[in-house]
Amino acid sequence: MASRAYTPRDIEAKRYECFDWDGEWLGAFGNPSMDSRWGIQGISASGKSSFAMQLSKKLCEYGPTVYLSYEEGVSKEFQRRLQYLHMGETQGRFSVVTDETVEEVSERLSRKKSPRFVIVDSFQVGCELYGWSYERAVELMRLFPQKGFVFILQEDKGQPLGKPAKRLKYIVDMKVRVAGYKAYCQGRSAGEPGNYYVVWEEGVLMTSNNL
């Protein structure tokens, strides 16, 4: 059977549930739809992990969020990040999983009252250890079109590390690069030109002053 072909009228009639962000979030990222797919890349110690956690906290305002902490697990540093970002305020809406395979994640998302948002940190470790791949990521997003997916991508020489992650970057809606504790959006729903999200103000000052 042939797939459905959409007319311009069909497309114009579609309605999307969007984030009603304001302030710094609106300025940097606009008001993307809640089912957007995010790809967040950056080198180590750039503020990427802190931004991922800040985004997770923001997403919890709109629905239950599961954080697949493949890379760090629940290490001391992960615990510290949760504490200084006051993630305890998200109790009941935020959960952390460290070792689920992509098949188990799919099963989790199939349940009633399942998470609305999924953070995969990092996609590369998921590919190495938990059965993720570019194809499986695409399949999961198609199976659950109402859910938002955020993929944290390790970076090498300004690009996501590895072919699967590079391919994934091309299909996500929100392309975010974190550098010098600033998150720059290069996605399809970017905010105001030239704006960025400040992940850590003191880190920005230290970076600016080459300290």
Side-chain angles (χ1 to χ4, degrees):
M1 180 182 293
S3 350
R4 176 182 175 181
Y6 292 92
T7 68
R9 185 172 294 177
D10 291 333
I11 297 171
E12 290 175 1
K14 288 178 71 69
R15 295 291 179 265
Y16 295 92
E17 190 175 7
C18 298
F19 295 109
D20 56 348
W21 287 342
D22 56 14
E24 194 173 17
W25 287 94
L26 173 64
F29 306 109
N31 292 117
S33 62
M34 294 191 194
D35 59 1
S36 294
R37 282 66 164 130
W38 294 61
I40 301 171
Q41 69 178 80
I43 62 173
S44 179
S46 63
K48 180 173 83 266
S49 296
S50 290
F51 173 69
M53 192 62 67
Q54 289 175 38
L55 176 61
S56 299
K57 187 174 184 180
K58 194 69 176 174
L59 294 179
C60 284
E61 297 177 13
Y62 298 88
T65 301
V66 61
Y67 196 109
L68 307 179
S69 185
Y70 290 143
E71 193 164 315
E72 289 187 279
V74 287
S75 64
K76 179 64 176 177
E77 177 58 25
F78 190 87
Q79 180 192 60
R80 186 190 69 82
R81 194 176 303 121
L82 260 65
Q83 290 172 337
Y84 84 73
L85 292 174
H86 305 289
M87 292 299 290
E89 297 170 0
T90 66
Q91 186 71 25
R93 289 166 288 151
F94 182 72
S95 57
V96 179
V97 173
T98 62
D99 57 2
E100 278 190 352
T101 65
V102 66
E103 288 79 13
E104 290 170 329
V105 173
S106 181
E107 181 184 344
R108 175 183 292 275
L109 298 181
S110 299
R111 301 171 191 162
K112 290 183 178 180
K113 298 183 179 180
S114 62
R116 183 164 192 183
F117 305 103
V118 183
I119 318 291
V120 184
D121 185 8
S122 66
F123 177 65
Q124 283 91 343
V125 175
C127 289
E128 290 172 4
L129 300 178
Y130 299 103
W132 286 81
S133 65
Y134 169 79
E135 291 78 12
R136 292 295 280 125
V138 171
E139 180 185 4
L140 208 61
M141 290 187 283
R142 287 178 177 166
L143 279 173
F144 303 101
Q146 303 296 319
K147 298 186 185 294
F149 287 83
V150 180
F151 297 96
I152 312 304
L153 307 173
Q154 297 172 356
E155 180 183 286
D156 180 50
K157 298 178 181 177
Q159 291 296 324
L161 179 64
K163 186 175 180 180
K166 288 178 182 176
R167 293 179 68 192
L168 191 63
K169 178 182 176 180
Y170 281 101
I171 66 167
V172 297
D173 307 299
M174 305 295 288
K175 300 170 174 59
V176 179
R177 184 164 190 263
V178 182
Y181 305 101
K182 301 174 186 176
Y184 301 86
C185 186
Q186 304 163 326
R188 298 172 184 140
S189 180
E192 299 171 12
N195 276 15
Y196 52 81
Y197 178 86
V198 176
V199 178
W200 182 36
E201 191 169 349
E202 291 181 18
V204 171
L205 292 173
M206 287 190 294
T207 303
S208 301
N209 292 314
N210 296 318
L211 296 180

